[in-house]
Amino acid sequence: MRKVIKNAIFTLLNPISPVIILIVGWLLTVLVTQPNEKFPYFINFMIENPFIIMVFIIFWLVFTLVYTELINRIEILKKEIRDKQEIIKEKEAQLNHTSGIILNRSGDFAKFNKSLRFNDVLLGFVQNNTLVESAQIYQYSIKRINNNVIIKVVYDSGYVYEDIDINNLAQTYYEFDYLDYNKLCDIIKTWKKLSMDTIENYREKDILINYVVNEITELFKKYYNDLTSLSDVSCIENKHFTEYRILTLLIRLARRLSTTTIDKRILGEDKRDIEYYLLNGKRTGILSSILLEDTFMFKYTRNSHKKNGRAYVSFHANISNQNYIVVFSVQTSDLDKYTNLEHEIKSLISDFVNRLNKK
């Protein structure tokens, strides 16, 4: 409604509007008209005083000129504003494009800077620790897809000492049932709570121990039965590699072991070929560290004279709010009986973390 009233007012004030033109034409007619008793008083007054009409017409002419000039200037300014707005839009588009390029390049620079940082730390760690042969960093993520949990592991950086033969894991996926994953996470959480030895209430402690034992037994039996039912290597699927690694992890939890490796067969002599393939057909050692978010050690079991006695240590690290697994290999065959491997591993991990924090 306001807009309608505003437009009506501007129309009436327009000196060349039909209404104003009609009024001016009528006034000019009054100028050439003789007084008449039948006319209203104010008309006869204007006829007898034409000066008033002339002043109005002159004012109208001046106002018309001024109004026309102002309208022209307004139109010019509007055009300039439109042109400026178009230029601003173009500049905004260019700025957005340039910002995108800058962000992409800054992202690339951040990745490059992170890579340099990791490579520098890995090089110093390997070269300055006698036991360490190689070290790698892997980034991982955990996602639920339907009824499964998928753990994706991607190689990030690595360094290998001269003349050392190491096969890096480029990228892999571990898959298992979502309910089993939740159960395992709860087992590990309770196991860690018990390992801290901070529970003073014996009843509560016994309840938690029974819970862990029962849950470990139930999950172990499920995976053990699944794996021992395999008749041949050709029947092995991706999930079976994960199940076998979890079996080794459950044994570690049940024995309350720290970084000790497990060399004994689990599935029995008649499943020797299947078990060998489950151990070596896919790299699963770092899966234990991912699930535990802690240190885990596993040995290389393939037949290779160059790799006998080599053990791999993996541990969890959170770097810049990203989940990583750090893996380094150590040669254990040359260690004497006085060397405390557990202590050495803890010292090496501490050294790596210190080097990383200084970068």
Side-chain angles (χ1 to χ4, degrees):
M1 186 64 183
R2 290 182 178 179
K3 188 176 181 179
V4 174
I5 296 173
K6 182 179 178 181
N7 291 335
I9 292 172
F10 275 105
T11 301
L12 290 174
L13 291 176
N14 189 344
I16 56 175
S17 68
V19 175
I20 300 297
I21 294 295
L22 184 63
I23 293 173
V24 171
W26 178 76
L27 290 173
L28 290 174
T29 304
V30 170
L31 280 176
V32 296
T33 303
Q34 297 296 323
N36 192 318
E37 294 179 356
K38 296 180 180 180
F39 292 160
Y41 171 77
F42 76 92
I43 293 177
N44 286 325
F45 179 81
M46 286 190 295
I47 293 172
E48 293 174 353
N49 298 279
F51 174 76
I52 297 174
I53 297 175
M54 292 302 297
V55 169
F56 179 83
I57 291 175
I58 291 171
F59 174 79
W60 172 75
L61 290 172
V62 173
F63 182 72
T64 300
L65 292 174
V66 173
Y67 180 85
T68 303
E69 180 63 23
L70 289 176
I71 290 296
N72 290 335
R73 290 187 180 182
I74 290 172
E75 290 299 323
I76 292 172
L77 289 174
K78 285 182 177 180
K79 185 178 182 302
E80 289 179 355
I81 291 172
R82 287 194 296 267
D83 293 341
K84 296 293 184 183
Q85 287 175 340
E86 289 298 322
I87 293 173
I88 291 171
K89 288 181 180 179
E90 291 178 4
K91 296 298 182 183
E92 285 179 347
Q94 292 175 3
L95 181 62
N96 291 334
H97 179 68
T98 305
S99 299
I101 294 174
I102 292 173
L103 287 173
N104 288 334
R105 289 182 177 177
S106 64
D108 292 340
F109 178 76
K111 291 179 181 178
F112 179 70
N113 189 45
K114 183 196 72 172
S115 181
L116 287 178
R117 176 191 178 198
F118 283 177
N119 289 335
D120 192 32
V121 170
L122 291 167
L123 185 147
F125 175 68
V126 173
Q127 289 190 339
N128 291 282
N129 286 290
T130 306
L131 292 179
V132 180
E133 299 177 324
S134 67
Q136 300 88 36
I137 297 178
Y138 299 89
Q139 186 175 352
Y140 75 90
S141 60
I142 303 174
K143 296 291 182 183
R144 178 183 178 180
I145 301 177
N146 299 323
N147 294 323
N148 292 326
V149 168
I150 306 296
I151 300 177
K152 179 183 178 182
V153 179
V154 180
Y155 173 82
D156 194 301
S157 304
Y159 179 79
V160 181
Y161 199 72
E162 295 176 6
D163 298 326
I164 300 297
D165 183 18
I166 295 289
N167 296 321
N168 292 327
L169 178 69
Q171 179 173 303
T172 192
Y173 297 84
Y174 304 113
E175 170 190 348
F176 53 104
D177 181 79
Y178 174 70
L179 295 178
D180 289 346
Y181 171 77
N182 283 335
K183 179 180 289 189
L184 182 61
C185 288
D186 202 37
I187 291 172
I188 292 171
K189 180 180 178 182
T190 309
W191 180 84
K192 286 184 175 180
K193 186 176 181 180
L194 288 168
S195 298
M196 293 175 65
D197 258 344
T198 56
I199 304 174
E200 297 181 357
N201 188 310
Y202 290 106
R203 181 176 177 80
E204 180 187 355
K205 194 171 186 178
D206 286 341
I207 292 173
L208 292 178
I209 290 173
N210 288 330
Y211 168 78
V212 170
V213 171
N214 292 335
E215 291 298 305
I216 287 177
T217 303
E218 182 181 343
L219 191 58
F220 186 93
K221 285 182 178 179
K222 177 181 178 180
Y223 285 169
Y224 180 83
N225 292 334
D226 191 19
L227 294 176
T228 53
S229 67
L230 296 171
S231 59
D232 189 76
V233 172
S234 62
C235 300
I236 295 176
E237 299 176 4
N238 187 43
K239 67 173 185 176
H240 294 129
F241 292 103
T242 304
E243 289 178 358
Y244 185 81
R245 178 51 61 184
I246 291 175
L247 284 185
T248 65
L249 176 59
L250 292 174
I251 292 174
R252 168 183 165 168
L253 296 177
R255 295 177 180 177
R256 300 192 71 177
L257 302 174
S258 50
T259 57
T260 306
T261 58
I262 296 171
D263 296 321
K264 295 180 179 180
R265 293 191 182 93
I266 299 174
L267 304 183
E269 186 64 29
D270 59 330
K271 300 293 181 181
R272 183 173 183 175
D273 293 340
I274 292 175
E275 187 162 13
Y276 179 83
Y277 187 68
L278 288 170
L279 274 168
N280 302 291
K282 183 175 181 178
R283 303 274 293 277
T284 59
I286 63 176
L287 177 60
S288 297
S289 283
I290 293 174
L291 296 171
L292 281 172
E293 292 189 351
D294 203 347
T295 305
F296 195 84
M297 186 169 75
F298 51 98
K299 285 185 177 180
Y300 196 100
T301 58
R302 291 181 182 176
N303 295 324
S304 172
H305 67 283
K306 291 184 178 181
K307 298 177 181 178
N308 287 336
R310 176 179 297 164
Y312 292 87
V313 178
S314 59
F315 64 95
H316 174 267
N318 187 287
I319 306 170
S320 301
N321 295 321
Q322 293 288 335
N323 286 315
Y324 290 89
I325 290 294
V326 181
V327 182
F328 61 90
S329 64
V330 294
Q331 184 56 248
T332 60
S333 60
D334 297 331
L335 297 179
D336 57 53
K337 62 180 180 180
Y338 301 106
T339 302
N340 187 329
L341 183 58
E342 201 80 29
H343 175 73
E344 291 293 338
I345 288 174
K346 289 181 180 179
S347 296
L348 289 172
I349 292 174
S350 177
D351 178 61
F352 184 90
V353 172
N354 288 335
R355 291 176 183 274
L356 189 65
N357 289 336
K358 289 178 181 178
K359 288 295 177 180

